[in-house]
């Protein structure tokens, strides 16, 4: 079985954007309102989009969440963020209900700059307990490129972590769009978020002592982390930390969203196989085909197939077992014991 | 000949820190003041520091600049930044005068958040024309982690670029320390700066049309850029840009400050050899020895020596010819025609 842990509903029907426009028109007096999207519209976008590509690529199931760039936690206040997150998550739930064999839900959280992450507990609980979701996307920078909230190792975030641990769900660390003209979203802000949070976890190792079962999945192949694995090892050792593999690897995982052969090989040559989980972020940041190969840039499996130093055991971990381990609710869903 | 294009005076005598302390005590009424550092102190720090390691590693000459983390452009106003930059640059000049066969100067610029980079023209000209420097370090984020100035492709920066082009000196894109607790300096802010500016150049290709001979050296192996070369190619193509190699490679270069074997191989497997220039950033961000190899993490030459797909021609470019081409004043100095 091949599980892709990183997909967003980037092809949502136009009704979602219309909902968002109406929401922004009344941004100072928010109501939840309703969304005008039919099941047929959902089916059409999925069948001609993600599901078709899953079939073409041989992926069995994707962890599916609202569009990351659309989370826009900086827009409006916490109530706007709550209604928007609820609506986006409910749309994901409809996708997963219509295609239960192909998609499992991951939720957006109603974050807002300067507002305690405790504010996200209820929506996380609703998504997991009522909608069957298995994880959340957690934005380390709700300001959208100005980084005004505390580092993710700060106690500021602990109320949310308590709920994540209680529900046994990991978070994918994933920024949203960037309002800062210095940071292109997918070409800079995303990667900056990834590597900055990894470094925060080196700076303050107390976080995972306080929450030994807390799990972060760092997307986009870990930003620059595997490429600079020597740099991170060296900085950590100089700070008196143990080897990275001796104090972070029960809590931090990387996806495989790296879109060329040398890059993805560096990931596998640097990070332990138990900490890498297959993903593509299809349909996402890079949608075109590589004119040099004729394949989609984000079709990550052929790069991995080309790596000659991975064993069958490694591949089984990468494509399935690691996902089941890091996302225990995926394992339970696939084992048919989700209602236990 | 082996030229290392990235070294900072991280071991400066205590008199420099004392100067800085006095400067900060009168930060609201700045005067230039004087620095109390003897030639013997300089000799001692260099001979027991950078020069010893150069000899041990077989490096002939290093491009040498003030400590990057110490530039602190966010501290005080533009006049404080000017006095501090002048003082740091004059100290570098003394090093280069004492050890003319081993060090060539690269200057710090008197940047200040929100102050036009035109303000840096005089100090750049002084350093190049009077002190024999060959390049500058240019901070894309003088705010120190809040990214409040415009992207480096903005016309805001053009007055400085005009002077760089006139003097025919490249800039190493190098942030300084971080005031933002989200960004560890060497483990996050540095790499974020590198990759963010590379992406800015994809977003706005007009910059290098306006300045066809402007040259940026992106340090730390390009941040995440070579690791995500496929991602950047894909994003650029989707934006209607040509291949990266067809529109950026006359203007952007990467150093080799990547501190483990798989990472540095990715650099060489992704980026054209004409755009990679040897460097170590010794003595810099990562000062320890790798317990697994017994060698310094930042001793980058052995990693390169281990790469089996580089030809002798490639190595000649990497260790010497590319530096002479991208830094024409290095070539002139080494050819003994610097006074022309």
């Amino acid at each position: 079985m091949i599980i892709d842990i990183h997909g967003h509903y980037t092809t949502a029907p136009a009704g979602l954007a219309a909902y968002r426009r109406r929401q922004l028109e009344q941004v100072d007096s928010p109501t939840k309102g309703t969304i005008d999207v039919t099941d047929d519209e959902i089916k059409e976008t999925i069948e001609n989009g993600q599901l078709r590509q899953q079939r073409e690529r041989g992926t069995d199931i994707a962890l599916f969440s609202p569009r990351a760039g659309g989370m826009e936690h900086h827009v409006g206040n916490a109530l706007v963020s709550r209604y928007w997150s609820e609506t986006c998550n409910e749309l994901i739930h409809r996708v997963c209900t219509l295609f239960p064999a192909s998609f499992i839900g991951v939720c957006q959280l109603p974050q807002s700059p300067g507002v305690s992450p405790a504010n996200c507990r209820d929506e996380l609980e609703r998504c997991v307990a009522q909608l069957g979701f298995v994880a959340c996307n957690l934005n380390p920078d709700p300001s959208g490129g100005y980084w005004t909230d505390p580092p993710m190792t700060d106690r500021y975030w602990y109320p949310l972590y308590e709920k994540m641990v209680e529900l046994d769900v990991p978070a994918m660390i994933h920024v949203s769009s960037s309002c800062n003209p210095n940071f292109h979203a997918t070409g800079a802000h995303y990667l900056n978020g990834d590597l900055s949070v990894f470094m925060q976890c080196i700076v303050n190792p107390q976080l995972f002592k306080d929450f030994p079962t807390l799990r972060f999945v760092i997307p986009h192949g870990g930003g620059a982390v595997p490429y600079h694995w020597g740099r991170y090892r060296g900085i950590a050792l100089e700070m008196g930390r143990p080897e990275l593999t001796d104090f972070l690897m029960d809590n931090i995982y990387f996806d495989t969203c790296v879109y060329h052969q040398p890059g993805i090989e560096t990931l596998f040559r640097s990070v332990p196989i138990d900490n890498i989980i297959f993903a593509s972020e299809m349909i996402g940041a890079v949608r075109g085909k590589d004119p040099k190969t004729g394949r989609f840039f984000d079709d990550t499996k052929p790069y991995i197939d080309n790596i000659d130093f991975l064993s069958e055991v490694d591949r089984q971990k990468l494509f399935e077992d690691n996902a089941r381990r890091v996302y225990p609710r995926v394992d339970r869903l696939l084992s048919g014991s989700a209602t236990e």
Side-chain angles (χ1 to χ4, degrees), chain A residues 80 88 111 124 145 174 204 268 270 277:
Chain A
V80 169
C88 289
Q111 298 177 248
L124 178 61
H174 205 308
N204 187 350
F268 285 96
S270 304
I277 316 180

Side-chain angles (χ1 to χ4, degrees), chain A residues 13-216:
Chain A
L16 183 66
Y19 172 92
R20 183 63 163 170
R21 277 196 302 276
R22 287 195 304 276
Q23 194 188 34
L24 299 186
E25 283 164 11
Q26 51 155 2
V27 72
D28 295 325
S29 55
T31 58
K32 182 160 179 186
T34 55
I35 185 173
D36 180 19
V37 170
T38 66
D39 281 359
D40 282 346
E41 287 174 325
I42 294 175
K43 284 182 193 167
E44 201 224 321
T45 59
I46 293 291
E47 281 171 353
N48 294 318
Q50 287 81 357
L51 191 58
R52 188 174 69 191
Q53 292 202 23
Q54 282 187 27
R55 286 177 179 143
E56 288 170 2
R57 299 180 185 189
T59 311
D60 294 293
I61 200 156
L63 305 199
F64 206 55
S65 60
R67 189 168 70 87
M71 297 190 296
E72 296 182 326
H73 295 116
H74 59 278
V75 170
N77 60 19
L79 191 56
V80 169
S81 184
R82 179 181 139 199
Y83 290 146
W84 175 234
S85 295
E86 288 174 359
T87 300
C88 289
N89 291 334
E90 287 156 14
L91 190 61
I92 294 295
H93 179 56
R94 290 173 65 190
V95 173
C96 298
T97 305
L98 288 167
F99 301 95
S102 303
F103 297 96
I104 294 176
V106 170
C107 69
Q108 168 178 333
L109 294 172
Q111 298 177 248
S112 193
V115 175
S116 169
N119 200 45
C120 299
R121 293 164 57 108
D122 288 351
E123 178 62 0
L124 178 61
E125 177 134 36
R126 182 181 80 108
C127 288
V128 173
Q130 295 177 33
L131 307 184
F133 286 25
V134 298
C136 58
N137 291 333
L138 180 54
N139 184 349
D141 173 31
S143 78
Y146 290 98
W147 294 88
T148 50
D149 279 346
M152 303 211 67
T153 48
D154 193 279
R155 299 186 68 86
Y156 177 79
W157 300 89
Y158 277 23
L160 177 60
Y161 298 156
E162 288 164 3
K163 181 57 71 177
M164 285 172 54
V165 165
E166 176 196 322
L167 295 169
D168 203 13
V169 295
M172 179 170 279
I173 304 300
H174 205 308
V175 296
S176 184
S177 61
S178 163
C179 313
N180 189 323
N182 282 285
F183 303 137
H184 182 274
T186 55
H189 189 43
Y190 279 31
L191 307 177
N192 293 348
D194 301 336
L195 73 91
S196 297
V197 172
F198 183 79
M199 189 63 211
Q200 290 170 12
C201 296
I202 293 176
V203 170
N204 187 350
Q206 188 60 38
L207 172 62
F208 296 128
K209 290 179 184 161
D210 290 340
F211 296 99
T213 62
L214 183 68
R215 297 181 299 283
F216 288 166

